[in-house]
Amino acid sequence: RVSFMNNQKPQKPTLSGQRFKTRKRDEKERFDPTQFQDCIIQGLTETGTDLEAVAKFLDASGAKLDYRRYAETLFDILVAGGMLAPGGTLADDMTRTNVCVFAAQEDLETMQAFAQVFNKLIRRYKYLEKGFEDEVKKLLLFLKGFSESERNKLAMLTGILLANGTLNASILNSLYNENLVKEGVSAAFAVKLFKSWINEKDINAVAVSLRKVNMDNRLMELFPANKQSVEHFSKYFTEAGLKELSEYVRNQQTIGARKELQKELQEQMSRGDPFKDVSICLQAIHGKCSVCANLSFLLQQYSPLLAAFTTQGQSELTLLLKIQEYCYDNIHFMKAFQKIVVLFYKAEVLSEEPILKWYKDGHLAKGKSVFLEQMKKFVEWLKNAEEGNQQLSSQVE
């Protein structure tokens, strides 16, 4: 009997269901940001609108509060005054504070002061860099949920933080969200952002930052596909007071077109027939220019490339015929034929003899009467002029 009792295995303790539920609840409470939010908001309320005091409070609180875990909550409060729900709204039942970007005055000086708060906080707690970058990307996607004034303040702040290196220009990817672009929110936000960014630095510094993240050629994507032209971009941002940004984008497009054209011409040379398809040049111009007013600028960029391939009269005549054919086939260029020829003449791509030959009997039948009439005054000038190219400007009008 004793032997039997000794052989009995002791009963193992079991985990009760109640105990498991308690653990689950404790874990949930441990990750609940509400208590963290209350602590931050209480501290901000005590500091008031003195942003130096705010920075000191945030610096000291990092030693007691878990900034690493609650980074999103922390930045939501500093920007919007409380935790943001999906879409960018503040929950009605949530505690909030007026010591935040959205409740501040809408001017550059105030946003510069707030930028210093973020700079000091992130310098002190370097691990917040990634969390802050993610926060700004999220806020940009929430733009439609904010008021116009809130968007303006966020744009100014973002521009300042991009200028001082606290943020990386890759955050701008959020602005290419289809809905934001379609409703014009992205472009309007970009105006305020670039104004404050350029105000802090200059267009050259902005260009370097954009180039580092391969965004220097994507700015036109701030507009819907049917408005992604240099002309529309230039008009929009010039009217908004950002002429330097308009010129930068125009130059970027021209450089890209020149590189593309140079590649095409080099391929033609390697095939031994540089004028097999010279219309590529004019197509490139056409693709970048919907109105004749921009021809002068574009042709001046392209003409040095063509000059290398027009070293003989016959090749120049071939180019003239290609220009005639292209202008005839593209109605927008019908009135621009003389202008193109004069500009190429000034750039020494075309010379006097081939032009006179073309006018006399070397032209095509396509659009003959229109083009000969356009060229009449210029041909007369070529035959009689002795003063040189300095008086040529009137021929381009």
Side-chain angles (χ1 to χ4, degrees), residues 320 341 345 351-359 375 378 382:
L320 269 166
V341 174
Y345 175 79
S351 55
E352 178 182 335
E353 191 176 334
I355 295 173
L356 294 175
K357 168 68 176 169
W358 173 88
Y359 187 81
M375 291 292 291
F378 179 57
L382 282 177

Side-chain angles (χ1 to χ4, degrees), residues 100-117:
C100 64
V101 172
F102 283 178
Q105 220 171 312
E106 188 185 325
D107 61 64
L108 201 56
E109 189 178 351
T110 304
M111 291 306 106
Q112 286 168 336
F114 263 101
Q116 283 303 308
V117 172

